[in-house]
Amino acid sequence: MSANTPLAQQSCAACRGDEPSLTQPEIERMLPLVPEWQVVTVANVPRLRRTFRFDDFAGALAFTQQVGELAEAQGHHPVLRTEWGKVRVDWWTHKINGLHNNDFVMAAKSDELFSA
Amino acid sequence: MSANTPLAQQSCAACRGDEPSLTQPEIERMLPLVPEWQVVTVANVPRLRRTFRFDDFAGALAFTQQVGELAEAQGHHPVLRTEWGKVRVDWWTHKINGLHNNDFVMAAKSDELFSA
């Protein structure tokens, strides 16, 4: 897998927990690749966050299920907040208390599910 | 449907938006019926909240789906926060910015799904 492979086509690499988090310059270089996402900090840990909009509750619930299945398949799990008309997705890497390339991969894959 | 019907067997009544919220004494009288739930206040609106625990992400996601389908069936929708090993459920009634008997019914029905 080349570094030029689009994010959404990459897979989550096993994260051993002894890898460094992405640095702030690295995060800033990657964010334009997932322009709908923003970095928010919760309990001192940066997360990638996007709120996806739907016409009703059923659409939001179906998307939650899709992202959840993607998470299971990749072995990397988000926090999903589902309510009427929207799903807020947060990706970060618990093992390193920070952001990893995997989180950007999962953000791009989530975008792809939404556009599909 | 008698007032003595267990909460979990009741259905959500149509909420027209001109009904009063439950008063604090009414809430306190009903809370013991759903002892795993607590009242939290978010943006000045009381909600019923419970965090359900699971062994993994898949269990949490499956429960989210079950509660979501229940919500669709009853026409009353929660906020569901799904993550590895837990689902936090908030019930309240948007139309009245408060708690309604329906929220207690949905809390009891959620408990029943969890125990099933």
Side-chain angles (χ1 to χ4, degrees):
Chain A
M1 186 81 62
S2 132
N4 293 323
T5 305
L7 279 176
Q9 268 75 64
Q10 295 182 35
S11 292
C12 269
C15 183
R16 297 188 310 272
D18 56 357
E19 297 167 70
S21 301
L22 294 176
T23 62
Q24 191 58 33
E26 286 168 331
I27 290 170
E28 280 163 21
R29 203 161 56 234
M30 295 195 73
L31 259 182
L33 300 175
V34 287
E36 305 287 344
W37 295 74
Q38 53 178 312
V39 177
V40 298
T41 301
V42 179
N44 284 324
V45 177
R47 307 174 171 192
L48 286 178
R49 173 174 290 175
R50 178 176 174 187
T51 299
F52 297 86
R53 305 273 168 183
F54 303 89
D55 292 336
D56 51 23
F57 184 82
L61 183 63
F63 185 70
T64 295
Q65 186 66 29
Q66 283 183 294
V67 176
E69 287 169 9
L70 166 69
E72 277 291 276
Q74 297 282 329
H76 192 55
H77 300 98
V79 173
L80 299 159
R81 199 180 70 179
T82 312
E83 60 193 295
W84 201 97
K86 53 188 172 181
V87 179
R88 196 181 78 184
V89 182
D90 285 4
W91 291 106
W92 78 100
T93 300
H94 299 63
K95 276 192 190 169
I96 59 173
N97 277 324
L99 289 173
H100 184 278
N101 186 66
N102 286 343
D103 299 301
F104 285 88
V105 169
M106 296 305 282
K109 286 181 185 291
S110 308
D111 285 347
E112 215 173 48
L113 284 177
F114 185 65
S115 314
Chain B
M1 187 79 64
S2 132
N4 293 322
T5 305
L7 279 175
Q9 268 75 64
Q10 295 181 35
S11 292
C12 269
C15 184
R16 296 187 311 272
D18 56 357
E19 296 166 70
S21 300
L22 293 177
T23 62
Q24 192 57 34
E26 286 169 330
I27 290 170
E28 279 163 21
R29 206 163 52 235
M30 295 195 72
L31 260 181
L33 300 174
V34 287
E36 305 286 344
W37 295 74
Q38 53 178 312
V39 177
V40 298
T41 301
V42 179
N44 284 324
V45 177
R47 307 174 172 193
L48 286 177
R49 173 174 291 175
R50 179 177 174 186
T51 299
F52 296 86
R53 306 273 167 183
F54 302 89
D55 292 336
D56 51 24
F57 185 81
L61 183 64
F63 186 70
T64 294
Q65 186 66 27
Q66 283 184 294
V67 176
E69 287 170 9
L70 166 69
E72 277 293 275
Q74 296 281 330
H76 192 54
H77 300 97
V79 173
L80 298 159
R81 200 179 69 180
T82 312
E83 60 193 294
W84 201 96
K86 53 188 171 179
V87 179
R88 196 181 77 183
V89 182
D90 286 4
W91 291 107
W92 78 100
T93 300
H94 300 64
K95 276 192 190 168
I96 59 173
N97 277 324
L99 289 173
H100 184 278
N101 186 66
N102 286 343
D103 298 301
F104 284 88
V105 170
M106 296 306 281
K109 286 182 186 291
S110 308
D111 285 346
E112 215 173 49
L113 285 177
F114 184 65
S115 315

Coordinates of all heavy atoms in Angstrom, one line a residue, chain A residues 37 47-50 64 67 71 76-82 87-92 94, chain B residues 57 80-84 86:
Chain A
W37 N -14.4 17.0 8.2 CA -14.1 16.7 9.6 C -13.4 17.8 10.3 O -12.6 18.5 9.7 CB -13.3 15.4 9.7 CG -14.0 14.2 9.1 CD1 -14.3 13.9 7.8 CD2 -14.7 13.2 9.9 NE1 -15.1 12.8 7.7 CE2 -15.3 12.3 9.0 CE3 -14.7 12.9 11.3 CZ2 -16.0 11.2 9.4 CZ3 -15.4 11.7 11.7 CH2 -16.1 10.9 10.7
R47 N -9.8 14.4 18.8 CA -10.7 13.4 18.0 C -11.0 14.1 16.7 O -11.1 15.3 16.6 CB -12.0 13.2 18.7 CG -11.9 12.7 20.1 CD -13.3 12.6 20.7 NE -13.3 12.0 22.1 CZ -14.4 11.6 22.7 NH1 -15.6 11.8 22.1 NH2 -14.3 11.0 23.9
L48 N -11.2 13.2 15.7 CA -11.8 13.7 14.5 C -13.3 13.6 14.6 O -13.9 12.5 15.0 CB -11.4 12.8 13.3 CG -10.0 13.0 12.8 CD1 -9.7 12.0 11.7 CD2 -9.7 14.4 12.3
R49 N -14.1 14.6 14.3 CA -15.5 14.6 14.4 C -16.3 15.1 13.2 O -15.8 16.1 12.6 CB -15.9 15.5 15.6 CG -17.4 15.7 15.8 CD -17.7 16.4 17.1 NE -17.5 15.6 18.2 CZ -17.6 16.0 19.5 NH1 -17.9 17.3 19.7 NH2 -17.3 15.2 20.5
R50 N -17.3 14.4 12.8 CA -18.2 14.9 11.8 C -19.6 14.6 12.2 O -19.9 13.5 12.6 CB -17.9 14.3 10.4 CG -18.8 14.8 9.3 CD -18.5 14.3 7.9 NE -19.6 14.8 7.0 CZ -19.7 14.4 5.8 NH1 -18.8 13.6 5.2 NH2 -20.8 14.9 5.1
T64 N -25.6 4.6 11.3 CA -25.0 4.1 12.6 C -24.6 2.6 12.4 O -23.5 2.2 12.7 CB -25.9 4.3 13.8 OG1 -26.1 5.7 14.0 CG2 -25.3 3.7 15.0
V67 N -21.7 2.3 9.8 CA -20.4 2.7 10.4 C -19.9 1.7 11.4 O -18.7 1.3 11.5 CB -20.4 4.1 10.9 CG1 -19.1 4.5 11.6 CG2 -20.8 5.1 9.8
A71 N -16.5 -0.5 11.4 CA -15.7 -0.4 12.6 C -15.3 -1.9 13.0 O -14.1 -2.1 13.3 CB -16.3 0.3 13.8
H76 N -11.5 -1.1 14.6 CA -11.2 0.2 15.1 C -12.6 0.9 15.3 O -13.4 0.9 14.4 CB -10.4 1.0 14.1 CG -9.8 2.3 14.6 ND1 -9.0 2.3 15.8 CD2 -9.8 3.6 14.2 CE1 -8.6 3.6 16.0 NE2 -9.1 4.3 15.1
H77 N -12.8 1.4 16.6 CA -14.2 1.7 17.0 C -14.3 3.2 17.3 O -13.6 3.7 18.1 CB -14.6 0.8 18.1 CG -14.5 -0.7 17.8 ND1 -13.5 -1.5 18.1 CD2 -15.4 -1.4 17.1 CE1 -13.7 -2.7 17.6 NE2 -14.9 -2.7 17.0
P78 N -15.4 3.8 16.8 CA -15.7 5.2 17.1 C -16.7 5.3 18.3 O -17.1 4.3 18.9 CB -16.4 5.6 15.8 CG -17.2 4.4 15.5 CD -16.4 3.2 15.9
V79 N -17.0 6.6 18.6 CA -18.2 6.9 19.4 C -19.2 7.4 18.4 O -18.9 8.3 17.6 CB -17.9 7.9 20.5 CG1 -19.2 8.3 21.2 CG2 -17.0 7.2 21.5
L80 N -20.4 6.9 18.4 CA -21.5 7.2 17.5 C -22.6 7.8 18.3 O -23.2 7.1 19.2 CB -22.0 6.0 16.7 CG -20.9 5.3 15.9 CD1 -21.4 3.8 15.6 CD2 -20.8 6.0 14.6
R81 N -23.0 9.1 18.0 CA -24.2 9.6 18.7 C -25.3 9.7 17.7 O -25.2 10.5 16.8 CB -23.8 11.0 19.3 CG -24.8 11.4 20.4 CD -24.5 12.7 21.0 NE -24.8 13.8 20.1 CZ -24.6 15.0 20.4 NH1 -24.2 15.4 21.6 NH2 -24.9 16.0 19.5
T82 N -26.3 8.9 17.9 CA -27.4 8.8 17.0 C -28.6 9.5 17.5 O -29.0 9.2 18.7 CB -27.8 7.3 16.8 OG1 -26.6 6.6 16.5 CG2 -28.7 7.1 15.6
V87 N -26.2 11.8 12.9 CA -25.2 10.9 13.6 C -23.9 11.7 13.7 O -23.4 12.1 12.7 CB -25.0 9.6 12.8 CG1 -24.0 8.7 13.5 CG2 -26.3 8.9 12.5
R88 N -23.4 11.8 14.9 CA -22.1 12.4 15.1 C -21.1 11.3 15.4 O -21.3 10.4 16.2 CB -22.2 13.4 16.3 CG -21.0 14.3 16.4 CD -21.1 15.2 17.6 NE -20.7 14.5 18.8 CZ -20.7 15.0 20.0 NH1 -21.2 16.2 20.2 NH2 -20.3 14.3 21.0
V89 N -20.1 11.3 14.6 CA -19.0 10.3 14.6 C -17.7 10.9 15.2 O -17.3 11.9 14.6 CB -18.8 9.7 13.2 CG1 -17.8 8.5 13.3 CG2 -20.1 9.2 12.6
D90 N -17.2 10.3 16.2 CA -15.8 10.7 16.7 C -14.9 9.5 16.5 O -15.1 8.4 16.9 CB -15.9 10.9 18.2 CG -16.6 12.3 18.6 OD1 -17.1 13.0 17.7 OD2 -16.6 12.6 19.8
W91 N -13.8 9.8 15.8 CA -12.7 8.8 15.7 C -11.4 9.3 16.4 O -11.0 10.4 16.2 CB -12.3 8.6 14.2 CG -13.3 7.9 13.4 CD1 -14.1 8.5 12.4 CD2 -13.7 6.5 13.3 NE1 -14.9 7.6 11.8 CE2 -14.7 6.4 12.3 CE3 -13.3 5.4 14.0 CZ2 -15.3 5.1 12.0 CZ3 -13.8 4.2 13.8 CH2 -14.8 4.1 12.8
W92 N -10.9 8.4 17.2 CA -9.5 8.6 17.8 C -9.0 7.3 18.2 O -9.7 6.3 18.1 CB -9.5 9.7 18.9 CG -10.0 9.1 20.2 CD1 -9.2 8.8 21.3 CD2 -11.4 8.9 20.7 NE1 -10.0 8.4 22.4 CE2 -11.3 8.5 22.0 CE3 -12.6 9.1 20.1 CZ2 -12.5 8.1 22.8 CZ3 -13.8 8.8 20.8 CH2 -13.7 8.3 22.1
H94 N -7.7 5.1 21.1 CA -7.6 5.0 22.6 C -6.2 4.6 23.0 O -5.7 5.2 24.0 CB -8.6 4.0 23.1 CG -10.0 4.3 22.7 ND1 -10.5 4.4 21.4 CD2 -11.1 4.6 23.5 CE1 -11.8 4.6 21.4 NE2 -12.2 4.8 22.7
Chain B
F57 N -17.9 -4.2 21.2 CA -18.6 -3.2 20.4 C -19.8 -3.8 19.7 O -20.9 -3.1 19.6 CB -17.6 -2.7 19.3 CG -18.2 -1.6 18.5 CD1 -18.2 -0.3 19.0 CD2 -18.7 -1.8 17.3 CE1 -18.8 0.8 18.2 CE2 -19.3 -0.8 16.5 CZ -19.3 0.5 17.0
L80 N -28.8 8.1 21.3 CA -28.1 6.9 21.6 C -26.6 7.2 21.4 O -26.2 7.5 20.3 CB -28.5 5.8 20.7 CG -30.0 5.4 20.8 CD1 -30.4 4.7 19.5 CD2 -30.2 4.5 22.0
R81 N -25.8 7.0 22.5 CA -24.4 7.1 22.3 C -23.7 5.7 22.4 O -23.7 5.1 23.5 CB -23.8 8.1 23.3 CG -22.4 8.6 22.9 CD -21.8 9.5 23.9 NE -21.4 8.8 25.1 CZ -20.9 9.4 26.2 NH1 -20.7 10.7 26.2 NH2 -20.5 8.7 27.2
T82 N -23.2 5.3 21.3 CA -22.7 3.9 21.1 C -21.2 3.9 21.1 O -20.6 4.7 20.3 CB -23.2 3.3 19.8 OG1 -24.6 3.5 19.7 CG2 -22.9 1.8 19.8
E83 N -20.6 3.1 21.9 CA -19.1 3.0 21.9 C -18.8 1.6 22.3 O -19.6 0.8 22.6 CB -18.4 4.0 22.7 CG -18.7 4.0 24.2 CD -18.3 5.3 24.9 OE1 -17.0 5.5 25.0 OE2 -19.1 6.0 25.4
W84 N -17.5 1.3 22.3 CA -17.0 -0.1 22.7 C -17.5 -0.4 24.1 O -17.2 0.3 25.1 CB -15.5 -0.2 22.6 CG -15.0 -1.6 22.5 CD1 -14.6 -2.2 21.3 CD2 -14.8 -2.5 23.6 NE1 -14.3 -3.5 21.6 CE2 -14.4 -3.7 22.9 CE3 -15.0 -2.5 24.9 CZ2 -14.1 -4.9 23.7 CZ3 -14.8 -3.6 25.7 CH2 -14.3 -4.8 25.0
K86 N -20.4 -0.1 25.6 CA -21.6 0.6 26.2 C -22.4 1.4 25.3 O -22.0 1.9 24.2 CB -21.1 1.5 27.4 CG -20.0 2.5 27.1 CD -19.6 3.1 28.5 CE -18.4 3.9 28.3 NZ -17.9 4.6 29.5

